[in-house]
C-alpha cells in the first residue's frame, strides 16, 4: 500500500507535508556556544511544518499549520495533501486529522514517513522549515 506514496510524489499532484518536530535548543549550553540544528532530510518538494503534530497545540501553531497547508495547496481544500513524519511517529496522524477538520477533502497519511521512504531508496533532500511569519 505504501508504494502508492512514491507514485503520488512522482505525479506531483499531491502536497507533501512533513511535520517532524524541530529539535529544541539545549537550555544549559555554556555561554558563547554556537547552536546549529542538525540538517533535516526529507522528501523532495515537501513543505516542513515542524511542531504542528503534538497532541495539543497553541492557537498560533494551529494558525501556522493553516498557513502552511494553504501555501502548499494554493488555498484549495480539494487539493490532496499527504502528511508524514518518521516511522511510528503519530504526529503525522494528528496533523492529518487536523487537515480534515480544516476542510481538506483528500488527506493521505504516510505512517512510514522519511524512514520508510529512505528504506525504499527514494531520494531525500535537505529541507528547511516554512518560516513562521
Amino acid at each position: 500500500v505504501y508504494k502508492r506514496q512514491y507514485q503520488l510524489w512522482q505525479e506531483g499532484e499531491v502536497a507533501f507535508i512533513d511535520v517532524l518536530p524541530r529539535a529544541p535548543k539545549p537550555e544549559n549550553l555554556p555561554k558563547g556556544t554556537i547552536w546549529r540544528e542538525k540538517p533535516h532530510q526529507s522528501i523532495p518538494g515537501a513543505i516542513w511544518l515542524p511542531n504542528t503534530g503534538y497532541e495539543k497545540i497553541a492557537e498560533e501553531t494551529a494558525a501556522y499549520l493553516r498557513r502552511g497547508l494553504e501555501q502548499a495547496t494554493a488555498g484549495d481544500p480539494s487539493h490532496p495533501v499527504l502528511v508524514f513524519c518518521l516511522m511510528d511517529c503519530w504526529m503525522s496522524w494528528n496533523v492529518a486529522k487536523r487537515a480534515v477538520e480544516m476542510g481538506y477533502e483528500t488527506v493521505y497519511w504516510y505512517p512510514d514517513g522519511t524512514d520508510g521512504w529512505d528504506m525504499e531508496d527514494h531520494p531525500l533532500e535537505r529541507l528547511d522549515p516554512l518560516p513562521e511569519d
Side-chain angles (χ1 to χ4, degrees), residues 63-125:
Y64 171 67
L65 172 60
R66 198 171 295 109
R67 283 192 310 274
L69 289 171
E70 287 172 359
Q71 180 177 324
T73 63
D76 180 2
S78 69
H79 191 287
V81 297
L82 183 145
V83 184
F84 65 96
C85 185
L86 299 174
M87 191 173 289
D88 298 324
C89 171
W90 284 90
M91 291 193 183
S92 54
W93 174 256
N94 292 338
V95 171
K97 288 188 345 182
R98 286 186 182 115
V100 169
E101 290 166 1
M102 290 177 184
Y104 287 87
E105 299 167 13
T106 305
V107 179
Y108 299 96
W109 174 50
Y110 182 29
D112 287 347
T114 53
D115 295 330
W117 191 265
D118 189 38
M119 284 192 291
E120 293 289 329
D121 290 324
H122 299 319
L124 294 170
E125 69 180 13

Side-chain angles (χ1 to χ4, degrees), residues 48-62:
W48 183 19
L49 301 174
N51 305 329
T52 58
Y54 290 105
E55 182 180 355
K56 295 181 181 184
I57 57 174
E59 181 49 44
E60 59 259 7
T61 305

